Amino acid sequence: MKRGDFIIILLVLLAAGSIYGVKWFNSLNDHYKQGDLMALITVDGKEYKTVPLTKEEQIIDIKTQFGHNTLKVFDYGIQMTYSDAPLRIALEMGFISRPRQQIICIPARIMVEVFNPNKSSGDEDELDAII
């Protein structure tokens, strides 16, 4: 490798790092109060339930033709505590409590996403178009 190759690699790494850093910094600047967030639970692409993320403990048992899963709401977040999927990857996704965090169980076709219902409609992360 020549000196020019190292410079190109360094520039690419700096560009990738700065893009990641800006996205990370923007995600930390979401303004919300504890208790304002909600979790949208979808099964097979259809809305199953929307639950507020509160301090009180709440158990959500989901039994469908695709499988059996259990979610637990506590400490202003949500976590999947049981899944009968062959690979329990969704259990390893852990506790989520910030906007745009997700838990996905592919065999059971369940997706849990945290969102802020008080977010204004002019935010940049909104969907612009579908092609």
Side-chain angles (χ1 to χ4, degrees), residues 1-14:
M1 295 182 96
K2 297 186 180 198
R3 184 175 180 212
D5 295 335
F6 286 115
I7 292 172
I8 290 173
I9 291 171
L10 181 65
L11 289 174
V12 169
L13 289 174
L14 284 174

Side-chain angles (χ1 to χ4, degrees), residues 1-129:
M1 295 182 96
K2 297 186 180 198
R3 184 175 180 212
D5 295 335
F6 286 115
I7 292 172
I8 290 173
I9 291 171
L10 181 65
L11 289 174
V12 169
L13 289 174
L14 284 174
S18 63
I19 291 170
Y20 178 75
V22 168
K23 288 187 176 232
W24 176 76
F25 182 74
N26 285 340
S27 71
L28 290 179
N29 289 333
D30 283 342
H31 299 289
Y32 57 88
K33 293 184 230 168
Q34 279 189 328
D36 282 353
L37 299 179
M38 299 187 83
L40 173 65
I41 303 167
T42 58
V43 177
D44 199 21
K46 298 177 183 89
E47 185 176 336
Y48 178 79
K49 190 173 188 180
T50 302
V51 294
L53 300 180
T54 61
K55 185 152 181 74
E56 293 78 32
E57 189 173 305
Q58 178 184 358
I59 303 294
I60 302 162
D61 206 31
I62 304 171
K63 293 181 184 178
T64 65
Q65 64 184 359
F66 307 113
H68 177 221
N69 295 64
T70 303
L71 296 164
K72 180 179 177 182
V73 176
F74 64 101
D75 290 338
Y76 303 106
I78 190 166
Q79 180 176 10
M80 188 168 290
T81 57
Y82 174 78
S83 175
D84 63 356
L87 295 174
R88 292 173 175 84
I89 298 171
L91 298 177
E92 296 171 10
M93 291 183 180
F95 179 78
I96 60 174
S97 61
R98 288 195 218 130
R100 294 186 296 273
Q101 286 185 325
Q102 297 176 337
I103 297 173
I104 300 170
C105 182
I106 294 174
R109 300 181 186 180
I110 293 176
M111 182 177 85
V112 181
E113 182 174 16
V114 177
F115 71 98
N116 186 355
N118 301 326
K119 200 170 189 181
S120 65
S121 61
D123 289 335
E124 294 178 16
D125 292 333
E126 297 273 333
L127 181 65
D128 293 333

